[in-house]
Amino acid sequence: MCVKLVTVKMPELYVKAIDELVKEEKFTNRSEVIRVAVRELLKRELWGESLLSESELSTSAEVAEV
């Protein structure tokens, strides 16, 4: 899967919450938190959970943190 770097602006509250998830070791880095959140949104709103297998949804490639 090709991975693209995407730069986003978000409220400081979101960034602090993302950092807390990383600090609690629930995720390895900010990029992983954001990928999981976007994937879950797309599954729910666009693709429908039954249309994609886990192998299609997961990727080991890391997006550089900005």
Side-chain angles (χ1 to χ4, degrees):
M1 174 184 293
C2 179
V3 179
K4 302 261 184 185
L5 176 64
V6 177
T7 304
V8 298
K9 292 183 180 184
M10 63 179 59
E12 186 175 348
L13 178 65
Y14 292 7
V15 176
K16 286 182 179 183
I18 289 168
D19 288 343
E20 185 63 27
L21 291 171
V22 174
K23 181 180 175 186
E24 293 175 3
E25 298 182 350
K26 295 183 179 185
F27 297 89
T28 57
N29 55 46
R30 288 176 174 173
S31 293
E32 183 184 9
V33 176
I34 294 166
R35 276 194 303 274
V36 168
V38 169
R39 180 181 68 219
E40 292 303 313
L41 173 73
L42 292 173
K43 281 170 49 178
R44 186 181 71 235
E45 298 294 330
L46 186 58
W47 297 328
E49 200 149 341
S50 64
L51 295 178
L52 297 174
S53 69
E54 282 302 312
S55 63
E56 292 171 312
L57 294 174
S58 61
T59 179
S60 61
E62 292 295 320
V63 174
E65 290 190 48
V66 177

